[in-house]
Amino acid sequence: MVLFNRRTRLLMISTLLGIAISPSIGIRVGSQEKPDINPANNATYPVGPPPKRVDPLPDDRDVQEREAETDYRISSLLGDFAGNLWVGSWRGLSQIDPNTGNIIARVSLPNVTIGALAQDKVGRLWVGNYEGLTRVDPRTNEITAQNLLLPSKRVLSLLIDKRGYLWTGTDSGLALISPDQGLIMTTVKNMPGVCVNAMTLDAEGQLWAGTLDGLIRVNTASALIMKRMNNLPGSTVQTLAISPEGLIWAGMPNQLLVVNPKNGIVLRSVTPLRGRNVTSVRFAQDGSVWVGTTNGLLRLNPNTGALLDRVPGLPSSRVLTVVPDLGNKLWVGTSEGLAWLMPTMDKARPHFGFGRSVK
């Protein structure tokens, strides 16, 4: 009790004198030096400039910043029986008047990433996208069938054979579909190359498919493989077209080949396209051939391979699809939008309804 009173008195005296008391049993007297009360000497500041101020973004701006950049590629073009142009893009499906360029309709689809277009014998429009297949009535723009049980939902190519049946190329094989019932009739078994990038019909009505491993000829009646051409230079076939003489033109990542479908012999590699990535081939009414590449659009003499024209003014040099002689124009789908060209024009012009300038 005496010790406690003694400590209490010392604590009161030291408080009055400004002396620090340790809570331990013994008593220590703090330093008598004057404390440094200048806060500038105690704070630590970075050597570099202060960080930039970040203002909070509005809610709608925050959502926009997190959205993926819009893709303006035009992946497929189709001239229909009525003379209109269907534009398949990675933003959806549209119909335009090729004479005026006016947009007639925009079709609402469950998936807007379009890979291929085709029109069957009775005028119905088939749209292949990355979620399957959709059938559209072009008179009402209504969806009448969709999402068939395909080998894969990713549709890369479409073709109507001479009987009116629909062949659907996917990244996992080839399927034959009845357009009326919307049912799969059969699939091509043991298909080499698997990925069906492009299709065309020869003079006998048999189907040629371009895959990752060359060319395959398929009997359209039995769905059996008739011929394999897997020794092509470059192997991957990206686009196909039949010339007026009935020869197959096959666009590949490094060249353009001309193949005789009767015997499967490669006749030649088109000289101006050697080393070029060929993405689209279409023959015009005047007999010339338009060739789209990842580095521009060319017009060639198909007999000699001579370069006739090179098209400037495209939204992008990466050409994906071409439709000539529609509305007295050449229509070009690129990775950055749609363009058109008339015979009297010195360069192509973009269609402002399908490019980056209009969002």
Side-chain angles (χ1 to χ4, degrees), residues 25 46 52 82 87 155 160 167 171 175 177 193 204 229 241 251 277 284 297 300 309 319 324-325 338 340 346 351 357:
I25 298 294
K52 294 181 179 180
V87 181
V155 177
I160 304 293
W167 291 87
D171 62 356
I177 294 173
E204 298 178 5
M229 294 182 62
N277 190 344
L297 178 62
L300 305 178
D309 286 303
V319 177
D325 307 308
L338 180 67
W340 56 277
D346 58 349
H351 191 296
S357 58

Side-chain angles (χ1 to χ4, degrees), residues 23-96:
S24 59
I25 298 294
I27 301 172
R28 290 190 316 183
V29 179
S31 173
Q32 298 299 315
E33 295 180 3
K34 183 178 180 180
D36 187 354
I37 60 173
N38 185 356
N41 295 334
N42 295 330
T44 302
Y45 293 99
V47 178
K52 294 181 179 180
R53 178 178 177 181
V54 180
D55 295 326
L57 297 174
D59 292 342
D60 56 344
R61 176 68 182 278
D62 181 62
V63 172
Q64 183 180 359
E65 290 290 331
R66 288 187 277 108
E67 287 181 346
E69 183 180 358
T70 304
D71 196 315
Y72 290 90
R73 77 181 69 185
I74 306 295
S75 50
S76 185
L77 296 173
L78 174 70
D80 65 15
F81 299 153
N84 294 316
L85 178 66
W86 290 90
V87 181
S89 72
W90 279 30
R91 299 173 64 207
L93 177 66
S94 302
Q95 183 186 31
I96 70 174

Side-chain angles (χ1 to χ4, degrees), residues 318-337:
R318 186 178 180 86
V319 177
L320 304 178
T321 179
V322 178
V323 170
D325 307 308
L326 192 62
N328 195 34
K329 299 176 185 69
L330 169 74
W331 295 90
V332 186
T334 77
S335 61
E336 288 291 333

Side-chain angles (χ1 to χ4, degrees), residues 12 68 82 96 99 106 139 146 149 167 206 229 247 269 296 313 315 328 341 357:
M12 294 176 61
I96 70 174
N99 298 299
R106 292 190 186 272
R139 297 168 299 181
Q146 63 179 328
L149 297 175
W167 291 87
Q206 307 299 354
M229 294 182 62
L247 301 177
S269 172
N328 195 34
L341 178 70
S357 58

Side-chain angles (χ1 to χ4, degrees), residues 234-317:
S235 70
T236 300
V237 176
Q238 301 180 140
T239 182
L240 290 172
I242 292 287
S243 73
E245 297 78 26
L247 301 177
I248 296 176
W249 288 56
M252 311 183 75
N254 59 348
Q255 62 185 323
L256 176 60
L257 299 179
V258 181
V259 180
N260 186 338
K262 294 182 179 180
N263 53 26
I265 294 176
V266 177
L267 300 178
R268 68 181 185 275
S269 172
V270 181
T271 303
L273 278 303
R274 290 177 184 170
R276 288 178 174 264
N277 190 344
V278 179
T279 53
S280 179
V281 178
R282 289 295 297 268
F283 285 86
Q285 292 176 356
D286 63 3
S288 63
V289 57
W290 290 98
V291 181
T293 73
T294 55
N295 191 27
L297 178 62
L298 312 175
R299 186 168 73 95
L300 305 178
N301 182 324
N303 301 315
T304 64
L307 179 62
L308 302 177
D309 286 303
R310 189 187 305 269
V311 179
L314 296 172
S316 167
S317 60

